[in-house]
Amino acid sequence: MKPGNALLAQVREDVLHRTRRTRETATLRRMVRETRLAVDNLVYPMFVVEGRGVKQEISSMPGQHQLSVDKLVEECREAAALRIPGVILFGIPGRKDDAASEAYAEKGIIQEAVRAVKDALPELCVVTDVCLCEYMDHGHCGVVEEGRVLNDPTLDLLERTAVSHAQAGADMIAPSDMMDGRVGAIRRALDRAGFPQTPVMAYSAKFASAFYGPFRVAAESAPAFGDRSSYQMDPANGREAQREIDFDIAEGADIVMVKPALVYLDVLARARDRVNLPLAAYNVSGEFAMLAAACRNGWLDPERAFMETLTAIRRAGADLILTYFARDAARRLQGDARTPLSFM
Ligand code: PBG
């Protein structure tokens, strides 16, 4: 008998359940693990700007950059080499106006970026965010008249934007504007334009969240007046989130999304129970910044904190996670324990 077994053998009969049995060794823990995070689950968000050779770090998002198309292609090459299946691109145009003209311009920043990335990396799934806020001089996600964001006139512009992304070669269209009816409108526009095979990933339950702050600095898209609460959801509403998801499915969404992720894991879990479509969650800029800041202050263990976060989003039910941690997670999942974390 090995030493210690005598102590272990001192059992009391009133301990009925021993859940610790399957936690005893790393092998057992591996065998009973319920949730697995894989590189296949990751989508990496990136910001594209005009110019050449531009790689400008975003102040509140350490390790994340605004990239010109040439640098974007380099970073996408790195993501693809890490076997990250997809990226989602956000464009920052050189010129903004009150019709978001650059959003659907044939030579717009996103259109050029998509062409360049698809040309270099045909296998990489290039998702484009369809929204007007980065392209509008007032920073709202739709057409503004007399201080109000108009729904139906916005749909026409969203359709044009989505079709122009598909024409540039986008593999998936992700509308994030939260106008009513936009998923159906975009679906029909894509079909009419000859893209019936291009899937739509809908930002279905997108909340009017404080956690988009760093993104708005990165994408230069903060609204010039008011806020987004006449179109994005009230953070207090969980049931309404399920209705939003139902409508987007009825309108033809192929993937539905909950955004942000961490503060809305209940919404995600409820959606998982109700929905048979692939489910995505956006681990947004503020969630990234919050964790990075605490880790850089020495308040959290970065290696554990970011993987625990992504695992929790998977456990709540997400098939896909849009996350600025994608490259770091891909490296760790592939056994690279040495490359420094990009956010540290
Ligand atoms: C565009 C859009 C936003 C985000 C994704 N698409 C910002 C917003 O709605 O203001 C946020 C992503 C993030 O915070 O990481 N509408």
Side-chain angles (χ1 to χ4, degrees):
M1 221 189 223
K2 281 185 247 153
N5 279 8
L7 275 177
L8 278 175
Q10 289 179 9
V11 294
R12 289 171 48 146
E13 274 157 28
D14 55 349
V15 180
L16 282 183
H17 301 290
R18 294 191 184 272
T19 49
R20 292 185 56 192
R21 286 185 193 117
T22 50
R23 292 177 202 149
E24 188 76 10
T25 66
T27 305
L28 279 168
R29 291 193 292 273
R30 177 154 73 96
M31 290 167 74
V32 301
R33 189 158 294 141
E34 298 176 25
T35 306
R36 261 170 241 285
L37 177 67
V39 67
D40 307 329
N41 306 123
L42 303 172
V43 177
Y44 187 36
M46 298 166 108
F47 302 97
V48 203
V49 291
E50 303 204 331
R52 271 193 73 78
V54 182
K55 185 173 175 180
Q56 174 76 36
E57 189 167 34
I58 300 155
S59 59
S60 51
M61 300 178 73
Q64 303 298 312
H65 300 85
Q66 293 182 335
L67 301 161
S68 54
V69 171
D70 54 324
K71 292 286 176 185
L72 173 79
V73 171
E74 275 177 31
E75 297 258 318
C76 285
R77 212 181 284 287
E78 193 194 322
L82 289 167
R83 299 196 46 249
I84 293 171
V87 295
I88 180 162
L89 304 183
F90 298 92
I92 301 142
R95 195 174 58 85
K96 301 177 192 249
D97 58 28
D98 65 359
S101 314
E102 288 295 305
Y104 40 87
E106 203 205 318
K107 297 217 151 96
I109 183 70
I110 279 292
Q111 291 78 359
E112 297 283 21
V114 171
R115 276 189 287 270
V117 174
K118 286 307 295 180
D119 200 39
L121 301 157
E123 305 272 295
L124 186 69
C125 177
V126 175
V127 185
T128 55
D129 183 89
V130 168
C131 195
L132 306 177
C133 57
E134 298 107 288
Y135 304 89
M136 288 288 198
D137 49 17
H138 48 62
H140 275 290
C141 304
V143 174
V144 168
E145 234 174 72
E146 292 169 16
R148 297 184 59 215
V149 178
L150 304 183
N151 196 87
D152 297 15
T154 301
L155 299 182
D156 300 334
L157 302 187
L158 293 170
E159 289 177 13
R160 290 175 67 174
T161 305
V163 168
S164 81
H165 290 183
Q167 281 166 343
D171 296 298
M172 194 186 293
I173 301 297
S176 71
D177 51 282
M178 289 301 278
M179 296 301 126
D180 289 325
R182 94 273 205 209
V183 170
I186 287 173
R187 177 71 273 154
R188 282 190 297 277
L190 288 171
D191 292 352
R192 278 197 305 271
F195 299 99
Q197 287 299 106
T198 302
V200 172
M201 173 162 69
Y203 286 72
S204 302
K206 177 173 175 179
F207 290 87
S209 173
F211 291 91
Y212 308 149
F215 173 98
R216 291 183 191 167
V217 174
E220 298 166 14
S221 66
F225 65 91
D227 58 29
R228 303 210 198 290
S229 38
S230 81
Y231 40 107
Q232 298 181 350
M233 284 191 58
D234 184 336
N237 292 2
R239 290 188 299 269
E240 187 189 0
Q242 304 305 321
R243 296 178 65 223
E244 286 281 7
I245 289 170
D246 291 345
F247 294 150
D248 285 358
I249 295 173
E251 289 178 31
D254 300 280
I255 301 175
V256 288
M257 193 199 298
V258 174
K259 176 189 174 191
L262 296 181
V263 204
Y264 299 90
L265 289 183
D266 59 324
V267 174
L268 188 61
R270 211 186 303 176
R272 177 73 295 163
D273 285 343
R274 298 176 64 255
V275 161
N276 291 317
L277 256 61
L279 196 53
Y282 200 138
N283 178 213
V284 299
S285 59
E287 300 174 326
F288 170 85
M290 186 165 66
L291 192 144
C295 291
R296 287 158 71 92
N297 258 307
W299 296 340
L300 289 177
D301 173 351
E303 292 288 350
R304 294 181 55 207
F306 90 99
M307 288 301 262
E308 182 176 333
T309 297
L310 299 178
T311 301
I313 298 170
R314 281 281 289 149
R315 191 195 62 235
D319 300 299
L320 290 175
I321 307 174
L322 289 73
T323 179
Y324 304 98
F325 295 117
R327 284 173 309 164
D328 297 303
R331 288 199 189 95
R332 293 302 182 259
L333 287 167
Q334 279 152 34
D336 170 359
R338 292 196 17 231
T339 304
L341 295 171
S342 65
F343 57 91
M344 286 305 287

